[in-house]
Amino acid sequence: MAILVIAEHDNASLKPATLNAITAAAKIGGDIHVLVAGSNCAGAAEAAAQVAGVVKVKVADAAHYADQTAENIAALVIETAKSAAYSHLIAPATTGGKNFMPRVAALLDVAQVSDIVGVEAADTFVRPIYAGNVLATVQSSDSVKVITVRTTAFEAAAAAGGSAAVENVAAAADAGNCKLVGRELTKSARPELTAAKIIVSGGRGVGNGENYHALLEPLADKLGAALGASRAAVDAGFVPNDYQVGQTGKIVAPQLYIAVGISGAIQHLAGMKDSKVIVAINKDPEAPIFQVADYGLVGDLFEVVPQLTAAV
Amino acid sequence: MKILVPVKRVVDYNVKVRVKSDGTGVDIANVKMSMNPFDEIAVEEAVRLKEAGVATEVVAVSAGVAGCQETLRTAMAIGADRGILVETDAELQPLAVAKLLKALVDKEQPRVVILGKQAIDDDANQTGQMLAALLDWPQATFASKVVIAGDRATVTREVDGGLETLEIPLPAVITTDLRLNEPRYATLPNIMKAKKKPLDTVKPADFGVDVAPRLKTLKVAEPAKRQAGVKVADVADLVAKLKNEAKVI
Ligand SMILES: Cc1cc2nc3c(=O)[nH]c(=O)nc-3n(C[C@H](O)[C@H](O)[C@H](O)COP(=O)(O)OP(=O)(O)OC[C@H]3O[C@@H](n4cnc5c(N)ncnc54)[C@H](O)[C@@H]3O)c2cc1C
Ligand SMILES: Nc1ncnc2c1ncn2[C@@H]1O[C@H](COP(=O)(O)O)[C@@H](O)[C@H]1O
């Protein structure tokens, strides 16, 4: 039995989410192959070959994989899946994996098991539904299991220690129907939200973008933290969309999550309630966020946050 | 240009669902049902495209129990021209829904299908992408801006690192993210008008689509509850606890 993990990468290196997906594959059991589709992606392929537990890396290097369009990646995964009888196809449940994997499943005429948080058996997985308020254990009867993995639920595989064979595979035909015309990526020297150990997150209570930057950035700087936000803060334009934590934003599980001026709607909790330690700062003692917070501080964030920044 | 908008009837986003005591499923008897929030955004976008003269007709479709008629009426109150219900009491998983939608696309020949990116009950985030694959159409998922000009769509997408913009030829599948638009409230006159709009009912068997589930739910359970925490007196107390008790800073 062999499992194919589709790597997320920037051509030069692997994205951490790939390492979590590899751990999920290891839990299922079987030889782990990694598919790297990219353009000038030898660096990423080399990195994949070094991940502990990986036995083979398949590389498809072609210009039409530069933009990671769903049509092209899905077509390649299908070709690769046909070439060897993979039992499972696995990708991280990032916006990338969520974009192309259901295409793969549909083309294979199989179900997709989205966003798994547990492996019970090779055909049985646990996944959250209803914004994480319910965990469903589902069994797949399909011949090939197409799976996306919630990265916070699986440790990262060791990035070193492996020595997989690297093999070039032919690119699939370019669908040629989808053109990337712009990319606005948020640049930040801070840790990536989904991989950060500490997250400082702001909500509507912060008031506006200026306050957000003036209050939360110094605290995040001192803690070496990533910055996050509620949907309300993103919708109001305090910060870009990729800051959003929650059911429909990013799922995070840092060591420490500091929620500032966030009420704690279920859709927000869905994205952060698996954090190890949660701190809530809110002036409303009845705010639902206090029900999940290990340490709740009732107070005006405009007074409390500068004090906290000074004290840490 | 015709736009097809699939809308799902789901437990309202304000309801905190409960697991049945025998762990076989989620108790949705007597809870408030609404249109999936992402689908409201999809309907709104389609109606705006019609108002802008880009689209000529907006057709809402829903697959599921007879109660989905209500969801379709809501779509029509927002401005969809007519509705199609694919009625079945069977459990429908995304692949089955995608196959039903493909059959409807073959029949209705829309140039664009706009779906929600995810249903807030199964949180699957699959159906749009699956439909695009079955139709062999391009897709633009998680849209926060859609511009349709001639036979092309330019779609800004919300991705993990920020935003990206794709240009795709029509026909195409688009799925909505939350910031695409803010759906209007259906006014009473429009709710009344919606009652008179055409609503057709068909069955999965009419299309010869096998909707049998591929995934079997063995059990459902509530996740472990977090231990209730403590309220701290002040910042000094908080910092001391984070350092000495939790040891996270
Ligand atoms: C389909 C769907 C998906 C969604 N997905 C997400 C998601 O992924 N992520 C997400 O976050 N939300 C999501 N939401 C929205 C969610 O329901 C809430 O509306 C949102 O999380 C509220 O954000 P907030 O807590 O910042 O704002 P509010 O609920 O307005 O809370 C602001 C808080 O700030 C406090 N406050 C105000 N002033 C101060 C002060 N001076 N000092 C201290 N405290 C103060 C208030 O007491 C209040 O508790 C989704 C909603 C829907 C319908
Ligand atoms: N039963 C259904 N009827 C109509 N549309 C649906 C149905 N199920 C899913 N959809 C559409 O597919 C989107 C994504 O759903 P899902 O893949 O289940 O997360 C939804 O937002 C709807 O637009």
Side-chain angles (χ1 to χ4, degrees), chain A residues 102 114 127, chain B residues 5-10 36-40 42 60-65 68 71-72 84-86 88 92-98 100-101 113-130 174-176:
Chain A
S114 294
R127 58 176 306 264
Chain B
V5 186
V7 295
K8 187 176 186 186
R9 181 175 187 263
V10 297
N36 185 41
F38 292 96
D39 305 354
E40 261 184 270
V61 309
S62 191
V65 297
C68 297
T71 320
L72 290 167
I84 303 172
L85 169 62
V86 185
T88 171
L92 292 176
Q93 293 179 348
L95 181 62
V97 176
L100 292 171
L101 293 174
V113 183
I114 310 181
L115 307 87
K117 81 163 177 183
Q118 138 185 12
I120 60 164
D121 50 2
D122 64 16
D123 282 332
N125 197 330
Q126 300 175 4
T127 309
Q129 298 88 314
M130 287 181 156
I174 295 171
T175 76
T176 63

Side-chain angles (χ1 to χ4, degrees), chain B residues 1-248:
Chain B
M1 186 186 80
K2 194 192 281 187
I3 301 182
L4 197 74
V5 186
V7 295
K8 187 176 186 186
R9 181 175 187 263
V10 297
V11 172
D12 186 84
Y13 80 98
N14 277 312
V15 174
K16 190 166 185 295
V17 294
R18 287 193 195 293
V19 167
K20 287 183 192 158
S21 53
D22 61 3
T24 55
V26 170
D27 193 358
I28 58 165
N30 306 318
V31 302
K32 185 178 176 209
M33 304 296 286
S34 299
M35 189 191 302
N36 185 41
F38 292 96
D39 305 354
E40 261 184 270
I41 294 170
V43 177
E44 175 69 33
E45 194 66 17
V47 171
R48 286 186 193 184
L49 285 166
K50 188 179 169 195
E51 288 166 349
V54 176
T56 48
E57 190 185 25
V58 177
V59 183
V61 309
S62 191
V65 297
C68 297
Q69 285 183 14
E70 228 177 278
T71 320
L72 290 167
R73 292 289 172 205
T74 306
M76 290 188 268
I78 297 172
D81 298 292
R82 58 190 172 92
I84 303 172
L85 169 62
V86 185
E87 194 181 337
T88 171
D89 291 335
E91 180 198 345
L92 292 176
Q93 293 179 348
L95 181 62
V97 176
K99 287 179 179 177
L100 292 171
L101 293 174
K102 171 170 190 300
L104 281 168
V105 168
D106 290 343
K107 179 159 171 261
E108 293 282 338
Q109 298 284 315
R111 296 288 286 166
V112 179
V113 183
I114 310 181
L115 307 87
K117 81 163 177 183
Q118 138 185 12
I120 60 164
D121 50 2
D122 64 16
D123 282 332
N125 197 330
Q126 300 175 4
T127 309
Q129 298 88 314
M130 287 181 156
L131 174 63
L134 296 177
L135 290 164
D136 196 18
W137 286 8
Q139 70 186 44
T141 53
F142 324 150
S144 64
K145 187 170 178 222
V146 173
V147 178
I148 293 179
D151 62 352
R152 303 192 79 78
T154 306
V155 179
T156 304
R157 310 178 52 232
E158 297 203 356
V159 295
D160 286 338
L163 296 171
E164 72 175 34
T165 304
L166 294 181
E167 205 184 274
I168 49 176
L170 305 184
V173 169
I174 295 171
T175 76
T176 63
D177 216 317
L178 291 169
R179 274 166 290 276
L180 180 56
N181 62 50
E182 213 168 295
R184 70 196 67 184
Y185 284 102
T187 60
L188 192 59
N190 284 341
I191 293 171
M192 299 310 290
K193 257 199 255 166
K195 291 191 174 151
K196 300 206 182 73
K197 291 184 180 176
L199 197 168
D200 287 338
T201 299
V202 292
K203 304 268 182 201
D206 299 343
F207 302 113
V209 172
D210 172 14
V211 296
R214 304 296 185 81
L215 297 178
K216 188 170 153 201
T217 300
L218 301 182
K219 68 166 191 219
V220 300
E222 280 174 25
K225 288 247 170 347
R226 281 188 82 94
Q227 295 276 323
V230 295
K231 293 256 168 72
V232 294
D234 52 27
V235 167
D237 188 11
L238 174 62
V239 172
K241 289 210 156 69
L242 290 176
K243 283 193 170 144
N244 307 325
E245 198 175 86
K247 300 191 169 58
V248 284

